[in-house]
Amino acid sequence: MTSIMVLNGPNLGRLGSREPEIYGSQTLADIELGLRGMLPADVSLDFRQSDDEATLIGWLHEAADARSPVIFNPAAFTHYSYALRDACQIVTDAGVPVIEVHLSNPHARESFRHTSVISGSVLGVIAGFGERSYQLALTQILTLLERH
Ligand code: DQA
């Protein structure tokens, strides 16, 4: 059974009420439910959220060791966490795909959001499509696993 990790960074636990004009009215639980509906029977989803950088780093190490593909929304850490970038590089170097996702398009927002320190250490980036960003990433990982 292949397991795919979906990791969510700080403040994403507040989706639904947090800046709905930018992030929409869906909660993280809604996003998780949508992804679960796409899964083939032999693939499982490990969906997690933390506001804590160290916890996210530990989960990325876990993904590298377990060889679990990762869909990762680093939230605000995207823009400044070199430690999370290095952790993504560990997963990538293990030959395990990491896809960075964003609900909004950070490039169309404030200038501090235009830089991702994460993107250079992942396989690809999908941004700007709300919960569809996560679904597109899952579709791509299933394609890579040849389970689409
Ligand atoms: C985000 C974009 C980030 O700039 C922001 O800090 C977030 C969410 C997104 O999904 O659009 O928390 O990663």
Side-chain angles (χ1 to χ4, degrees), residues 77-107:
F77 285 140
T78 304
H79 314 300
Y80 66 92
S81 175
Y82 299 123
L84 279 172
R85 180 203 168 96
D86 289 349
C88 286
Q89 191 65 52
I90 289 169
V91 186
T92 298
D93 288 347
V96 177
V98 182
I99 300 182
E100 177 186 342
V101 298
H102 300 282
L103 295 152
S104 67
N105 175 3
H107 298 282

Side-chain angles (χ1 to χ4, degrees), residues 4 13-14 26-27 29 38 42 71 87 103 105 110 137 139 143 148:
I4 298 171
R14 309 290 292 189
Q26 280 185 314
T27 64
M38 295 170 60
D42 58 344
I71 297 169
L103 295 152
N105 175 3
E110 304 96 317
T139 299
T143 300
H148 57 293

Side-chain angles (χ1 to χ4, degrees), residues 30-59:
D30 295 331
I31 293 173
E32 178 179 359
L33 211 61
L35 294 178
R36 288 197 182 282
M38 295 170 60
L39 289 180
D42 58 344
V43 177
S44 68
L45 207 70
D46 192 348
F47 193 97
R48 307 179 185 183
Q49 190 274 328
S50 178
D51 295 333
D52 177 54
E53 190 179 23
T55 300
L56 291 163
I57 291 167
W59 289 346

